[in-house]
Amino acid sequence: MSQHAPTDKAERVIRKPFPSREAVLEFIRESPAPVGKREIARAFHLYGDDRIALKEMLRQLERDGALERNRGRRVAPPASLPEVSVVVVSGVDVDGEVLARPFHLPEGQTAPVIYMQPEKRGHPALGRGEKVLARLRRLSEGQYEGQTLRRLDDSVSQLVGVFRPTTHGGRVEATERRNRSELSVPAAETGGAEAGDLVLVELLESSRYGLRQARVVDRLGRCDAPNTMSLIAIHAHGLPTTFPSPALAEAERCRPPGLEGRIDLRDLPLVTIDGADARDFDDAVWAEPDSDPANRGGWRLMVAIADVAWYVRPGSVLDRAAFERGNSAYFPDRVVPMLPEALSNGVCSLKPGEERACLAVELWLDRSGTVMRHRFQRGLMRSAARLTYEQAQQAHEGAPDDVTAPLMETVIRPLFGAYEALKAARERRGVLDLDLPERQIHLNSEGLVAGIGVRPHYDSHRLIEEFMISANVAAAETLENHKTPCMYRIHDQPAKEKLENARVFLRGLGYTLDKGQVLRPTLFSRILEQAAERPEAPLIHEMILRCQAQAVYSPNNIGHFGLALIRYAHFTSPIRRYADLIVHRALVRALGFGPDRQDGLDDESAGRLKTIAEHISMTERRAASAERETVDRFCAAYLADRVGAVFQGRVSGVTRFGLFVRLDDVGADGLLPVRALPNDYYEHDEKRHSLIGKKYGGAYRLGMLLRVRLVEADPLAGSILFALGAKESEDSSVSGKKLARQTLPCDNKASVRGGKSTRR
């Protein structure tokens, strides 16, 4: 540290102590863009020889890997993105914010999340797959805000839209919710499309003036057909819909194996418990009281899973097709399966009375639900019954039917007894339990929406969940003990910035999330318990969900925060998830199952688990987005003939361009744009999830009850547009001060008027 006198300029400021490494790193991490030595020196009031010491500190931090230098010798945290980068739009989050990812990402680096600012007025919204040159501002580690500088010509290659003929060819209106652009189709490129056809188009090179041109590459059906809703999402997200002929032929040749190398489980009364509409059954369960006198009150469980690895060998045509899909996608009117039907609904499905190959784990619990030991076996089983969740629940509650009555003593009561023990262990562990209703679309015989409700959640659901969690943990532990590579399911702690936003928001509602405590799921669970009987309970659940990290797959274990588990893997659904198939193969390899080991995890796959993890994490997000958008389209179709009606709902999202409102009746989400709010200059308070009127003080925040009028419901785009109900508009215009008291001022705002945003 310098002992010399400061320069004349420095004499006018108070000399401060030389900063620590941690203080300098914190400043660099919190800077929205890479910074230079001069900016750091100015921030810490360093002069003379202190600047030389700072230069040496930065060199040492760079050598230690704590930071890296960008252009102009500016420094940033490792793996930071350049201030100006090419990004690709990847989708829209639950708040309607446009998300992007870097176009070029160094190998081994995890892609950060980039939130794109709304486009300038008069410019079309960014569409999925579009490539832009953007200026980036770092919000926190792994999160950036992007501002479009220039759209790049070779962005989106394909779009789904509705074809309308013209005298010179046709026009296609894109079905993308945030990008309702219109394209021109030359007469020679219509592909025989007719008015009202839903088409997949490929963009053509064209001049920058006039509409962009496209050619029709596929006719998907009529835009008013019942199956249109899922078709749009399937093709917009690029979900593979057909299997190669060799893969189908390979699946048709598959037959159940014999007993060689397997344990005989055919006399064990294993049962499957699934939804009434399930077609593939990949898990079966059984339990009994442990007969060991040393474990009085304990339980012995068996979880048997379809042995998909036996049929789908590494590197086969079937394997490549399954990897491409990554997982099955489920829609109200169809399933896009990971495996051909001959496997998913055939030899792999644990149908009652039919012999099936399985990989089973036997677990012993003590009376408190703690797993004492477990072992895996490769077996041959025969399901005793196919039960629905409703059947199992009714039997448990004393109303068995013809199927469950003979199983009460040998199957139903032991299963629920073991579940009670597992539930007690779960409560001790402190799992984060979020009450998040799931919309259920009911279709009539013609494929039209007959109704929308909330999917019930019984103890029978929780029973299967707990059995599967126990089996998944056992799989991860076994692979660790055998030092075999594992595909973990990991869930990180909430990001620091999201956690701080949640803390500020909860404080405004009278709840405390202390800073000093070690972060555990129980901290959130206590708040959920406090809010359980209060009107803001749905809001609290929503807020806590929003601050959680996204669960992903990885060969590197960091644990599962939400389940409060040190290690966790997906083992129980290999028919519909490629991750589970990888875990099955790893177990075959670790435990020496099979005569030739050719169905175990091969060295080539083991060496690229990181790449596989990134791919299947992407396909999982892709399927979830397609499923969510399809449900939104069905909801819009259900409401299309009720335009003008007034509904009650809660604010489910707050953005710079308006509010998302979720209707109480059907759970549909729609946009209440900022231009539809009482005339004011609204500030977006990000930390408190609020829009606050600057002039009159009217405030709208996450979780508020509102009465809204349906203005538009577009089934093709899945978009719903609201205006405030007449009474709500009147109340808002006169009670601004009352509303404003619900939120607190914040130093991190965006000012919004008429949908336009400027950052401060």
Side-chain angles (χ1 to χ4, degrees):
M1 192 180 300
S2 171
Q3 301 297 321
H4 298 285
T7 63
D8 292 341
K9 184 178 179 181
E11 288 173 356
R12 295 195 293 270
V13 300
I14 300 173
R15 186 68 173 259
K16 294 192 175 183
F18 191 81
S20 65
R21 284 168 52 105
E22 290 71 23
V24 172
L25 281 173
E26 184 71 16
F27 174 77
I28 295 170
R29 278 195 293 265
E30 292 182 353
S31 297
V35 295
K37 185 182 71 173
R38 181 179 300 176
E39 293 163 280
I40 301 172
R42 188 183 301 123
F44 291 100
H45 303 289
L46 304 180
Y47 304 94
D49 289 352
D50 280 353
R51 291 192 175 216
I52 298 174
L54 174 64
K55 184 177 180 180
E56 179 56 37
M57 175 190 281
L58 294 177
R59 282 178 180 167
Q60 185 60 49
L61 289 170
E62 186 179 5
R63 285 194 292 269
D64 294 345
L67 56 79
E68 60 185 29
R69 292 187 185 272
N70 295 336
R71 290 181 302 173
R73 302 193 61 75
R74 300 171 77 79
V75 295
S80 291
L81 299 179
E83 193 171 353
V84 175
S85 296
V86 176
V87 303
V88 179
V89 177
S90 55
V92 180
D93 72 359
V94 292
D95 282 331
E97 298 277 5
V98 177
L99 305 179
R101 56 177 174 78
F103 181 63
H104 294 293
L105 193 68
E107 187 175 352
Q109 183 175 328
T110 302
V113 177
I114 302 170
Y115 297 94
M116 297 300 295
Q117 287 190 9
E119 296 302 289
K120 296 177 181 178
R121 184 172 296 180
H123 292 254
L126 294 173
R128 184 181 290 105
E130 192 163 359
K131 193 192 306 179
V132 300
L133 184 68
R135 185 180 304 281
L136 303 182
R137 183 175 75 91
R138 187 153 41 83
L139 301 174
S140 64
E141 189 170 347
Q143 291 190 343
Y144 291 79
E145 179 184 68
Q147 179 184 13
T148 300
L149 298 177
R150 186 174 77 251
R151 296 181 189 234
L152 303 178
D153 291 338
D154 60 344
S155 305
V156 182
S157 59
Q158 291 187 330
L159 288 171
V160 177
V162 179
F163 181 82
R164 307 290 180 197
T166 65
T167 54
H168 301 291
R171 297 281 177 88
V172 171
E173 183 183 0
T175 56
E176 181 75 31
R177 182 186 306 182
R178 295 183 54 84
N179 184 19
R180 304 305 305 278
S181 58
E182 197 171 44
L183 306 168
S184 173
V185 181
E189 304 290 358
T190 62
E194 299 176 355
D197 277 355
L198 188 68
V199 295
L200 181 67
V201 299
E202 186 175 74
L203 299 185
L204 301 173
E205 290 187 14
S206 55
S207 69
R208 66 176 61 186
Y209 303 106
L211 295 179
R212 292 208 61 175
Q213 292 191 329
R215 73 163 60 93
V216 175
V217 296
D218 197 5
R219 297 169 65 186
L220 307 178
R222 300 293 300 167
C223 68
D224 54 358
N227 64 354
T228 295
M229 315 300 176
S230 53
L231 277 177
I232 293 173
I234 288 167
H235 288 278
H237 288 272
L239 271 64
T241 55
T242 58
F243 288 95
S245 297
L248 293 173
E250 190 175 321
E252 291 289 347
R253 291 194 298 269
C254 292
R255 296 291 182 271
L259 262 177
E260 182 183 0
R262 296 176 179 271
I263 186 170
D264 192 348
L265 301 173
R266 290 175 293 182
D267 292 333
L268 200 65
L270 288 151
V271 298
T272 61
I273 305 178
D274 293 276
D277 54 354
R279 296 176 62 194
D280 51 2
F281 314 118
D282 50 12
D283 58 84
V285 293
W286 168 83
E288 70 171 2
D290 192 354
S291 58
D292 185 351
N295 188 29
R296 194 174 302 278
W299 297 91
R300 176 183 169 224
L301 328 180
M302 182 76 77
V303 178
I305 307 298
D307 191 356
V308 177
W310 177 260
Y311 304 103
V312 183
R313 303 294 175 97
S316 66
V317 180
L318 268 175
D319 181 43
R320 292 195 295 271
F323 172 74
E324 181 188 12
R325 284 160 173 73
N327 45 260
S328 298
Y330 295 87
F331 302 95
D333 59 344
R334 72 182 69 211
V335 176
V336 179
M338 186 182 79
L339 299 173
E341 190 170 345
L343 290 179
S344 59
N345 297 341
V347 293
C348 288
S349 189
L350 307 181
K351 297 178 179 179
E354 298 188 18
E355 293 187 0
R356 290 292 183 258
C358 66
L359 198 58
V361 57
E362 195 171 4
L363 305 106
W364 286 266
L365 314 179
D366 65 17
R367 64 189 308 160
S368 66
T370 301
V371 178
M372 302 165 60
R373 68 185 189 280
H374 54 73
R375 68 174 175 183
F376 283 85
Q377 304 171 95
R378 210 168 196 179
L380 194 66
M381 62 161 286
R382 186 190 293 118
S383 172
R386 177 266 199 269
L387 306 181
T388 66
Y389 290 116
E390 290 79 7
Q391 270 183 304
Q393 187 67 31
Q394 289 168 8
H396 174 58
E397 292 174 354
D401 59 16
D402 292 343
V403 176
T404 54
L407 302 173
M408 285 302 298
E409 297 304 321
T410 56
V411 176
I412 303 295
R413 286 199 177 95
L415 282 175
F416 278 91
Y419 160 65
E420 289 298 327
L422 287 171
K423 185 173 74 169
R426 177 188 179 94
E427 291 171 353
R428 287 197 310 276
R429 200 167 72 240
V431 174
L432 177 57
D433 271 321
L434 291 170
D435 182 16
L436 303 170
E438 180 186 354
R439 286 177 291 178
Q440 186 174 23
I441 308 294
H442 301 285
L443 304 179
N444 62 22
S445 58
E446 297 176 350
L448 301 174
V449 185
I452 300 175
V454 175
R455 192 179 295 276
H457 200 66
Y458 304 116
D459 277 349
S460 54
H461 287 90
R462 299 181 182 93
L463 181 155
I464 293 299
E465 289 168 6
E466 288 305 311
F467 274 56
M468 298 305 112
I469 289 171
S470 298
N472 289 335
V473 172
E477 287 182 353
T478 298
L479 293 176
E480 277 192 10
N481 292 339
H482 285 79
K483 296 181 171 51
T484 302
C486 178
M487 183 65 75
Y488 293 98
R489 179 67 167 178
I490 61 171
H491 181 223
D492 205 352
Q493 294 185 0
K496 184 170 68 172
E497 183 177 83
K498 286 188 175 183
L499 190 62
E500 181 57 29
N501 287 351
R503 185 175 283 116
V504 171
F505 184 81
L506 291 168
R507 190 185 308 134
L509 293 174
Y511 298 88
T512 301
L513 186 63
D514 292 336
K515 278 189 174 182
Q517 299 185 53
V518 176
L519 188 62
R520 292 190 178 91
T522 48
L523 297 181
F524 293 114
S525 298
R526 290 188 197 119
I527 292 174
L528 293 174
E529 289 171 7
Q530 294 170 25
E533 302 301 324
R534 300 177 66 176
E536 67 267 21
L539 166 63
I540 301 296
H541 280 269
E542 189 79 33
M543 185 66 243
I544 291 177
L545 172 67
R546 287 168 186 270
C547 78
Q548 300 303 310
Q550 186 172 37
V552 296
Y553 295 106
S554 174
N556 302 314
N557 183 33
I558 63 169
H560 197 293
F561 176 78
L563 293 175
L565 293 168
I566 298 172
R567 61 190 64 81
Y568 191 63
H570 273 167
F571 157 75
T572 54
S573 295
I575 290 178
R576 61 184 180 90
R577 291 189 306 224
Y578 195 81
D580 303 56
L581 177 56
I582 290 289
V583 171
H584 276 233
R585 289 173 177 167
L587 288 166
V588 169
R589 172 175 174 157
L591 301 174
F593 292 146
D596 52 13
R597 310 277 186 89
Q598 290 183 5
D599 50 343
L601 184 68
D602 60 313
D603 292 338
E604 191 272 335
S605 297
R608 60 184 188 95
L609 281 186
K610 187 176 188 301
T611 302
I612 294 173
E614 290 172 352
H615 173 74
I616 59 180
S617 294
M618 179 278 293
T619 60
E620 179 186 48
R621 292 191 298 270
R622 178 180 69 181
S625 183
E627 292 165 353
R628 184 172 61 249
E629 288 179 12
T630 300
V631 171
D632 288 343
R633 288 187 170 94
F634 274 107
C635 287
Y638 183 65
L639 295 171
D641 60 354
R642 301 174 71 181
V643 170
V646 175
F647 300 87
Q648 179 171 288
R650 285 186 181 273
V651 177
S652 59
V654 181
T655 71
R656 293 162 284 186
F657 51 83
L659 309 171
F660 283 94
V661 178
R662 182 170 300 152
L663 301 184
D664 291 347
D665 290 344
V666 297
D669 285 286
L671 176 65
L672 178 63
V674 70
R675 66 175 179 272
L677 298 178
N679 191 32
D680 205 336
Y681 190 81
Y682 287 90
E683 291 184 326
H684 180 210
D685 186 330
E686 293 177 87
K687 287 189 175 180
R688 292 169 179 80
H689 296 264
S690 303
L691 285 179
I692 303 174
K694 190 172 182 181
K695 185 175 181 180
Y696 299 110
Y700 300 88
R701 70 170 185 176
L702 190 70
M704 276 187 67
L705 274 172
L706 291 176
R707 289 180 62 79
V708 292
R709 177 171 51 85
L710 180 61
V711 174
E712 177 185 294
D714 185 344
L716 291 180
S719 61
I720 297 172
L721 196 65
F722 295 126
L724 283 175
K727 184 177 185 303
E728 204 70 57
S729 297
E730 183 181 331
D731 290 347
S732 299
S733 63
V734 299
S735 60
K737 291 182 180 179
K738 179 181 177 182
L739 286 168
R741 280 198 294 270
Q742 297 184 39
T743 57
L744 301 173
C746 175
D747 59 0
N748 186 17
K749 301 173 182 174
S751 300
V752 184
R753 185 179 180 86
K756 189 174 181 180
S757 165
T758 54
R759 285 278 171 182
R760 289 186 178 176

